[in-house]
């Protein structure tokens, strides 16, 4: 069931039909990966799906490098929804990931008219200052600006060759009157996501991007662009094993043995195939079946679990021959916390969320007015119980403020049974929120001097 669903990163109404989203967009369920040292977001099912997270976790368990990346729109104020992403970045950082953070100043300039100078000020004072307080480690974090990193802009152009308006129409629903800034922004975002794999920015390694589902169209686009840029395709072989095929394109034809006249240059082709065979043999495979004319190599004895190591070899070979050698980025998807009012959380509607700079009085006021899952009267509430699944105060404890799973489960049960009243639930949430926020404000004062340490050399 469920009709065609389109996810739109610019729309303000989001689908929360997570089951349908998983099946329609081919996301992988979180239940098929084992998460080391899970955070409350993992334990409570708030991160519900992923693409290729297993590739990242394998790198982690093999002691190989991996990175995590996110971007910020330097337009509004940092709120709880943004904090949830940084919590995930921090979790990956603690696992050993290097961190790259994009300030989307070109995007905010083009789509919201913000000056670059203003974007810089907002990014540092409103976002990076809070990242420091949230515990990101500046040692392994690099914050950069889209406007001053030409590798990102260059990549947007290079990758732009691998897509067209029809694809943008089908991914984003664009039509003839779409503003072209909305065409540029996703290409630059693809550059943001892929450029950390370049040798100058950390080199070939898996990169994971934790996002809300609204950003998945960008990930689908980016993954497609990376795959289409690859010189060597890796597929399952009919009858078992893996097959490598050459992907001949305008800019690699000569290197892959297609001469200017379109004819096969067997000498060049043979040496490409020999190089691939040598790389694959290096992984220990005995029977490797090359076919220079077809431009294919079959490895019957390879299994699905050999995919990553074969792919790495191919990407390195591609790089040595002049290609980009890009992996598809991995991603994880989190549920959206509802806004305090029961609508969508949004920076432009201050009563729907808590900003990290809000004072205690504002927090108290906002939570007191929050949408409740309680019954209209105390008598009915005692008799029928409340519904924590729609009670915003409960939801906020679960998403943001309550570290203790056991306590949360008790509160849940006691609310359902009617033992805890709606007002009491709000007071619990207020207590937790104020405690958290007071502590956060202290930390921000203590870590303010670190802000510049987060900046990449090209951002200083
Ligand atoms: N488009 C994102 C937003 O609207 C910002 C962004 C730019 C981003 N580049 C990114 C997010 C790379 C994740 C990864 O918030």
């Amino acid at each position: 069931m469920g009709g065609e669903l389109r996810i739109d990163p610019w729309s303000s109404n989001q689908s929360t039909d997570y089951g349908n989203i998983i099946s329609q967009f081919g996301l992988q369920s979180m239940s098929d990966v084992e998460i080391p040292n899970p955070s409350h977001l993992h334990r409570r099912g708030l991160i519900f799906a992923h693409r290729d997270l297993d590739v990242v976790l394998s790198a982690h368990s093999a002691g190989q490098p991996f990175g995590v990346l996110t971007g910020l729109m330097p337009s509004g104020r940092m709120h709880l929804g943004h904090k949830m992403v940084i919590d995930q970045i921090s979790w990956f950082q603690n696992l050993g990931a290097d961190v790259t953070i994009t300030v989307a100043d070109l995007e905010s300039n083009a789509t919201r008219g913000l000056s670059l100078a203003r974007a810089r000020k907002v990014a540092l004072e409103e976002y990076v200052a809070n990242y420091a307080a949230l515990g990101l480690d500046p040692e392994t974090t690099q914050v950069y600006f889209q406007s001053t990193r030409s590798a990102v802009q260059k990549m947007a152009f290079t990758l732009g060759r691998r897509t067209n308006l029809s694809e943008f129409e089908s991914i984003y629903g664009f039509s003839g009157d779409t503003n072209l800034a909305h065409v540029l922004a996703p290409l630059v975002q693809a550059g943001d996501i892929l450029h950390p794999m370049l040798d100058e920015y950390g080199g070939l390694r898996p990169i994971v991007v934790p996002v809300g589902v609204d950003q998945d169209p960008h990930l689908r686009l980016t993954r497609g662009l990376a795959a289409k840029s690859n010189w060597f395709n890796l597929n399952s072989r009919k009858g078992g094993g893996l097959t490598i095929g050459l992907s001949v394109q305008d800019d690699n034809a000569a290197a892959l043995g297609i001469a200017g006249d379109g004819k096969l240059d067997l000498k060049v082709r043979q040496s490409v195939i020999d190089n691939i065979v040598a790389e694959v043999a290096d992984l220990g495979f005995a029977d490797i079946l090359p076919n220079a004319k077809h431009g294919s190599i079959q490895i019957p004895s390879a299994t699905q679990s050999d995919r990553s190591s074969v792919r790495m070899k191919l990407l390195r070979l591609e790089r040595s021959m002049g290609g980009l050698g890009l992996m598809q980025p991995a991603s994880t998807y989190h549920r959206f916390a509802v806004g305090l009012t029961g609508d969508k959380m949004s920076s432009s509607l201050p009563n729907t969320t808590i900003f990290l700079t809000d004072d205690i009085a504002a927090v108290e006021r906002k939570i007191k007015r929050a949408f409740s899952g309680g019954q209209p009267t105390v008598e009915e509430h005692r008799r029928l119980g409340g519904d924590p699944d729609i009670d915003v105060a409960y939801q906020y404890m679960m998403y943001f403020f309550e570290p203790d799973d056991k306590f949360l489960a008790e509160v849940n049960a006691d609310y359902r049974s009617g033992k805890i009243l709606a007002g009491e639930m709000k007071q619990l949430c207020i207590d937790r929120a104020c405690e958290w926020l007071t502590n956060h404000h202290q930390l921000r004062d203590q870590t303010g001097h670190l802000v510049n340490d987060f900046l990449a050399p090209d951002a200083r």
Side-chain angles (χ1 to χ4, degrees):
M1 283 236 325
E4 266 293 290
L5 195 72
R6 182 169 262 143
I7 297 180
D8 176 352
W10 296 285
S11 154
S12 55
N13 42 21
Q14 290 304 338
S15 170
T16 50
D17 184 353
Y18 297 113
N20 196 12
I21 290 170
I22 288 186
S23 62
Q24 185 175 328
F25 296 108
L27 306 181
Q28 292 158 279
S29 157
M30 220 54 201
S31 53
D32 56 35
V33 285
E34 175 140 7
I35 303 292
N37 195 16
S39 75
H40 76 284
L41 298 171
H42 300 107
R43 298 194 308 268
R44 298 174 190 174
L46 303 178
I47 298 171
F48 71 97
H50 71 97
R51 294 181 195 270
D52 285 356
L53 181 60
D54 42 324
V55 175
V56 176
L57 295 176
S58 307
H60 164 253
S61 48
Q64 289 157 359
F66 59 102
V68 61
L69 174 138
T70 188
L72 68 97
M73 264 302 226
S75 55
R77 298 168 61 194
M78 184 162 171
H79 60 59
L80 291 176
H82 302 122
K83 161 184 143 54
M84 193 161 85
V85 176
I86 299 305
D87 286 345
Q88 297 173 61
I89 297 288
S90 177
W91 181 83
F92 278 112
Q93 185 172 47
N94 289 335
L95 214 60
D98 62 86
V99 178
T100 308
I101 297 177
T102 300
V103 179
D105 61 346
L106 289 181
E107 183 177 350
S108 65
N109 180 247
T111 62
R112 305 187 186 187
L114 226 75
S115 76
L116 297 181
R118 172 81 192 144
R120 181 181 179 93
K121 190 172 153 58
V122 171
L124 299 189
E125 291 174 7
E126 186 61 36
Y127 291 84
V128 181
N130 280 310
Y131 298 171
L134 289 172
L136 280 197
D137 179 0
E139 277 295 304
T140 55
T141 306
Q142 300 253 324
V143 175
Y144 75 92
F145 295 85
Q146 285 175 334
S147 64
T148 55
R149 190 161 280 191
S150 60
V152 166
Q153 301 160 19
K154 187 170 165 223
M155 199 154 223
F157 268 92
T158 311
L159 296 170
R161 299 183 61 192
R162 323 263 174 208
T163 183
N164 56 35
L165 287 174
S166 301
E167 189 183 19
F168 273 56
E169 195 182 310
S170 83
I171 295 183
Y172 297 104
F174 288 171
S175 56
D177 60 358
T178 299
N179 189 309
L180 289 194
H182 282 154
V183 174
L184 289 171
L187 286 173
V188 173
Q189 184 153 341
D192 289 330
I193 294 173
L194 294 171
H195 88 283
M197 290 177 215
L198 298 177
D199 291 337
E200 311 86 285
Y201 294 99
L204 184 59
R205 67 199 186 291
I207 299 290
V208 59
V209 190
V211 291
V213 269
D214 66 315
Q215 298 289 309
D216 186 54
H218 296 314
L219 280 141
R220 268 180 278 142
L221 174 76
T222 304
R223 287 172 59 85
L225 291 172
K228 282 183 261 181
S229 78
N230 288 166
W231 289 21
F232 309 114
N233 296 326
L234 182 62
N235 288 304
S236 299
R237 175 177 172 272
K238 285 199 203 78
L242 296 170
T243 297
I244 299 165
L246 305 188
S247 171
V248 179
Q249 309 167 23
D250 293 355
D251 50 5
N252 68 13
L256 296 184
I258 302 292
D261 57 8
K263 288 219 186 76
L264 182 64
D265 180 337
L266 203 51
K267 231 179 102 201
V268 173
R269 172 60 61 83
Q270 190 63 53
S271 87
V272 173
I273 297 289
D274 290 348
N275 284 337
I276 298 175
V277 170
E279 292 296 334
V280 174
D282 193 44
L283 291 170
F285 295 105
D287 61 337
I288 302 169
L289 314 173
N291 183 328
K293 273 203 181 128
H294 274 175
S296 73
I297 292 116
Q298 310 202 28
I299 325 169
S301 63
T303 62
Q304 289 307 316
S305 61
D306 295 319
R307 249 175 202 267
S308 283
S309 50
V310 175
R311 188 184 296 112
M312 281 303 204
K313 286 283 192 192
L314 294 173
L315 293 174
R316 291 199 194 285
L317 180 63
E318 179 188 325
R319 287 179 180 214
S320 75
M321 297 172 70
L324 288 168
L326 300 173
M327 287 176 90
Q328 297 194 355
S331 48
T332 60
Y333 301 87
H334 57 77
R335 290 171 186 269
F336 289 107
V338 282
L340 284 163
T341 52
D343 305 319
K344 196 200 164 204
M345 191 187 281
S346 159
S347 323
S348 51
L349 300 170
N351 287 330
T352 62
T353 189
I354 293 171
F355 297 104
L356 298 197
T357 45
D358 273 350
D359 59 29
I360 299 303
V363 172
E364 253 192 88
R365 178 176 49 78
K366 288 182 183 183
I367 297 176
K368 278 207 173 116
R369 290 191 199 153
F371 184 82
S372 164
Q375 302 294 345
T377 66
V378 171
E379 188 276 322
E380 280 172 281
H381 191 93
R382 292 285 187 220
R383 187 157 47 86
L384 301 169
D387 183 356
D389 296 340
I390 58 165
D391 191 278
V392 174
Y394 175 80
Q395 295 285 313
Y396 276 41
M397 293 211 287
M398 174 170 75
Y399 273 84
F400 307 118
F401 302 125
E402 179 50 62
D404 184 345
D405 290 352
K406 202 169 139 258
F407 180 74
L408 198 66
E410 280 166 24
V411 170
N412 187 311
D414 289 349
Y415 198 53
R416 277 185 210 285
S417 75
K419 190 169 158 201
I420 294 181
L421 296 173
E424 292 168 339
M425 184 67 94
K426 286 184 176 173
Q427 194 53 52
L428 278 174
C429 182
I430 290 171
D431 292 346
R432 291 292 188 282
C434 291
E435 188 189 338
W436 183 84
L437 213 62
T438 305
N439 184 45
H440 180 74
H441 290 169
Q442 276 170 11
L443 286 171
R444 205 172 44 219
D445 290 342
Q446 289 162 17
T447 55
H449 65 286
L450 294 175
V451 167
N452 279 322
D453 298 351
F454 283 87
L455 299 181
D458 60 3
R460 288 174 189 230

